[in-house]
Amino acid sequence: MLRGLVGSALLALSATHAWAFNLDDVGEKAKALAAEKYSAPTSNLPSEFSEMKFADYQQIRFRNEKAYWADEKTPFKLSFYHQGMHFDTPVKINEVTATDVKEIKYDPSRFDFGSLKFDANATKDLGYAGFRLLYPINSPDKQDEIATFLGASYFRIIGKDQWWGLSARGLALDTALPSGEEFPRFREFWIEKPKPKDKHLVIFALLDSPRATGAYRFTIRPGNDTVVDVKARVFLRDKVTKLGLAPLTSMFLFGSNQPSPEHNFRPELHDSTGLQIHAGNDEWIWRPLNNPKHLSVSAYSVENPKGFGLLQRGREFSRYEDLDDRYDLRPSAWVEPQGDWGKGTIELVEIPTPDETNDNIVAFWNPEKRPEAGEPLDFAYRMRWTKDEQALHDPKNAWVMQTLRSVGDVKQKNLIRQPDGSVALVVDFVGPTLKALAGDAPVSTQVSTDDNAEVKENSLRYNAVTQGWRLTLRIKVKDPKKPTEMRAALVNGGQTISETWSYQLPADE
């Protein structure tokens, strides 16, 4: 029962203590849900909405003048998503004030339905599918969308001068397992009404699924980087094989390390370039993403991770050449665990996709220790939605600027290059550490591969253009039906001077 909503609880409060809604209130609901049998949500949509095409759903537009708090002096406003297509079950949305909690009721007058024809009486008691958070992040006289919560436990955030890109989720269960993935759902939200001078907004959410429930608190601080502090309390109803905490979901179609198989004026097309990991032992790992022909899962064993995220490294417009979708402005999302998370794995899931409409990349933390059914798992982390990837690697060491891939070849005596059945990977390392070295410094490499690879060439040379070093690897794959793993780092004077480049050559490539 929510604190403050029961008369006896109110009487027990001292007059000097104001009523407050907090994570414990939602946690009590999550705990009670976990003790009950799961009840799947039911759709209340008439067929003209549940069976509509995407083009029809796009006709439903929120009237910005109808935004919640539109007539009040609050820096944040709310707009809502209408139900339709697969967004066929409503979520309950509440406003929290200093003295009360009240539901924000569905109001069809908030929407322009375009040319859609439907029975207004059949839809008058619908709910909202989700909501958007509005804030003047780019200009003081314009309310911009900075956050959306829509579908399952998905949410997206952007900062100043950023375009919508990758997503985050509250929880991921059994991702990429043959048994099938379970998608927990935020079924109810509580949004604190902001004060006129507030620079942050607090959102509580109740999560539910067949095998898990959870209570979440999101504190959103818009800015050049929009920062989200997350506190969560999760309860399991039953055992799960993979418990994905702080999951991120993105898209990678092709890039410099995996060029498009067909002619395309865009050299790269992705929301994220790679997975970055800051391990508990201070090792930094960079793993470029792939669009594999077969499902691929990579796991990095880490104790007390300091951070991980899906980054869009490389902000030059020339990498993308896309004026419509501006992949050069898509944010990176970085997760910083608060407190010790113990032992576990950071997992990367890569799913084949034929086009950019599918999110085919997932990354999350999978803890080694799981709570027993009904016992709470409390964890917290900070998310940073940013374009400043320079701040997300060790400034004292070099980092990977780009990974290039091509057919491996050997220069003949007549200077003609002849393919030799290998794969060539070119890795450019850059950074102040390398700029400080002379071009003839004795920099060397540490390269390792799995048993499926034969290294035909491992050469390192100074790159005068970047004032860094370029590593060229030619790899002969023994069994092309298996993926091939490899790692590399730069060494000088017996000391590692770069992050670890970790790469998987997908099967059948």
Side-chain angles (χ1 to χ4, degrees):
M1 185 67 68
L2 296 181
R3 183 180 300 128
L5 298 185
V6 180
S8 60
L10 280 171
L11 292 173
L13 290 175
S14 166
T16 60
H17 290 80
W19 172 85
F21 185 90
N22 59 40
L23 186 63
D24 290 336
D25 295 307
V26 188
E28 290 173 9
K29 279 183 165 286
K31 184 177 181 179
L33 268 181
E36 301 172 357
K37 184 179 179 180
Y38 174 69
S39 178
T42 56
S43 175
N44 62 348
L45 275 185
S47 60
E48 54 261 52
F49 280 87
S50 62
E51 298 173 7
M52 66 172 37
K53 304 298 183 184
F54 181 65
D56 289 331
Y57 185 66
Q58 282 188 308
Q59 287 193 57
I60 307 175
R61 298 183 180 276
F62 187 83
R63 301 180 187 272
N64 288 333
E65 70 275 11
K66 294 279 192 176
Y68 204 69
W69 302 320
D71 298 326
E72 301 188 47
K73 293 181 179 180
T74 59
F76 297 90
K77 315 293 180 186
L78 294 177
S79 69
F80 304 98
Y81 287 100
H82 201 278
Q83 291 176 251
M85 300 191 307
H86 51 275
F87 305 116
D88 59 355
T89 54
V91 296
K92 188 176 180 181
I93 303 173
N94 306 283
E95 178 191 30
V96 178
T97 67
T99 59
D100 197 12
V101 172
K102 67 176 181 179
E103 182 179 357
I104 302 174
K105 296 288 189 179
Y106 168 76
D107 181 357
S109 71
R110 296 184 189 275
F111 298 93
D112 178 352
F113 292 92
S115 62
L116 296 179
K117 305 296 182 183
F118 58 93
D119 181 358
N121 287 327
T123 58
K124 62 185 178 65
D125 295 322
L126 295 180
Y128 298 118
F131 64 92
R132 308 174 183 88
L133 184 60
L134 310 177
Y135 183 85
I137 197 169
N138 294 306
S139 174
D141 58 353
K142 182 178 182 297
Q143 293 285 336
D144 296 299
E145 294 182 14
I146 63 161
T148 70
F149 288 78
L150 177 67
S153 65
Y154 284 92
F155 60 96
R156 294 196 294 173
I157 310 287
I158 54 174
K160 182 178 172 62
D161 297 325
Q162 298 174 15
W163 282 44
W164 295 112
L166 78 169
S167 304
R169 277 189 276 171
L171 197 67
L173 299 179
D174 288 354
T175 304
L177 292 184
S179 58
E181 183 171 2
E182 184 174 307
F183 290 88
R185 170 180 177 266
F186 287 139
R187 56 182 285 172
E188 187 168 2
F189 293 94
W190 294 262
I191 305 172
E192 286 190 0
K193 182 179 180 179
K195 300 179 181 66
K197 295 185 179 181
D198 278 354
K199 300 298 183 184
H200 70 278
L201 187 81
V202 177
I203 299 171
F204 298 94
L206 176 64
L207 179 139
D208 193 17
S209 80
R211 288 181 292 165
T213 68
Y216 288 75
R217 186 185 73 192
F218 303 93
T219 304
I220 302 175
R221 295 180 173 85
N224 289 328
D225 292 352
T226 293
V227 175
V228 183
D229 287 318
V230 183
K231 288 195 72 173
R233 183 173 301 154
V234 167
F235 299 87
L236 296 182
R237 281 191 170 102
D238 202 351
K239 292 183 179 180
V240 299
T241 303
K242 286 188 180 181
L243 180 60
L245 307 185
L248 302 171
T249 302
S250 191
M251 180 276 294
F252 181 93
L253 188 64
F254 55 80
S256 61
N257 62 296
Q258 190 182 27
S260 173
E262 300 176 354
H263 292 298
N264 197 305
F265 75 92
R266 298 171 294 185
E268 304 192 32
L269 203 164
H270 47 73
D271 286 337
S272 304
T273 315
L275 169 69
Q276 176 86 72
I277 297 172
H278 186 192
N281 62 359
D282 269 339
E283 180 185 17
W284 289 81
I285 301 170
W286 174 248
R287 164 63 153 82
L289 299 177
N290 291 303
N291 178 11
K293 291 185 178 180
H294 310 282
L295 175 68
S296 173
V297 179
S298 301
Y300 295 83
S301 295
V302 179
E303 184 171 0
N304 295 325
K306 295 183 177 180
F308 68 92
L310 293 174
L311 308 190
Q312 186 75 312
R313 270 193 190 176
R315 290 288 168 186
E316 302 87 352
F317 178 76
S318 59
R319 286 180 180 247
Y320 309 97
E321 295 292 349
D322 196 320
L323 288 172
D324 295 315
D325 293 323
R326 296 307 302 268
Y327 290 97
D328 57 308
L329 299 179
R330 308 262 171 140
S332 295
W334 182 248
V335 174
E336 298 173 357
Q338 305 296 296
D340 292 341
W341 280 16
K343 294 181 179 180
T345 54
I346 294 172
E347 304 209 8
L348 174 66
V349 178
E350 296 166 307
I351 305 167
T353 183
D355 57 60
E356 66 266 39
T357 63
N358 299 311
D359 284 340
N360 64 320
I361 304 296
V362 185
F364 54 85
W365 169 254
N366 183 25
E368 185 178 282
K369 293 185 66 175
R370 312 286 171 76
E372 296 296 324
E375 293 298 317
L377 171 63
D378 288 278
F379 58 97
Y381 56 96
R382 169 167 286 186
M383 302 189 73
R384 192 176 301 277
W385 302 75
T386 181
K387 292 191 299 180
D388 185 13
E389 289 75 28
Q390 296 283 3
L392 299 178
H393 52 66
D394 186 352
K396 300 187 297 295
N397 280 343
W399 61 89
V400 175
M401 183 185 79
Q402 64 178 353
T403 300
L404 305 170
R405 191 172 97 189
S406 67
V407 172
D409 53 37
V410 177
K411 186 181 291 187
Q412 308 298 307
K413 290 183 178 180
N414 60 3
L415 303 183
I416 295 176
R417 292 185 174 275
Q418 184 69 35
D420 66 346
S422 66
V423 176
L425 293 158
V426 177
V427 186
D428 276 318
F429 291 89
V430 297
T433 300
L434 300 185
K435 284 186 177 182
L437 297 175
D440 59 354
V443 180
S444 60
T445 62
Q446 287 180 336
V447 174
S448 62
T449 67
D450 62 18
D451 294 337
N452 197 40
E454 179 186 354
V455 180
K456 306 291 289 185
E457 179 184 348
N458 172 8
S459 63
L460 185 69
R461 61 187 297 188
Y462 177 68
N463 185 337
V465 177
T466 64
Q467 293 181 281
W469 261 259
R470 171 169 286 189
L471 168 65
T472 300
L473 295 175
R474 278 194 304 113
I475 303 295
K476 186 66 177 291
V477 176
K478 298 176 182 179
D479 184 354
K481 294 182 179 180
K482 297 179 181 179
T484 305
E485 299 279 355
M486 60 200 79
R487 287 192 172 203
L490 302 185
V491 177
N492 183 36
Q495 297 293 321
T496 301
I497 60 170
S498 76
E499 66 183 7
T500 300
W501 173 81
S502 174
Y503 191 66
Q504 182 191 83
L505 192 65
D508 297 332
E509 290 286 346

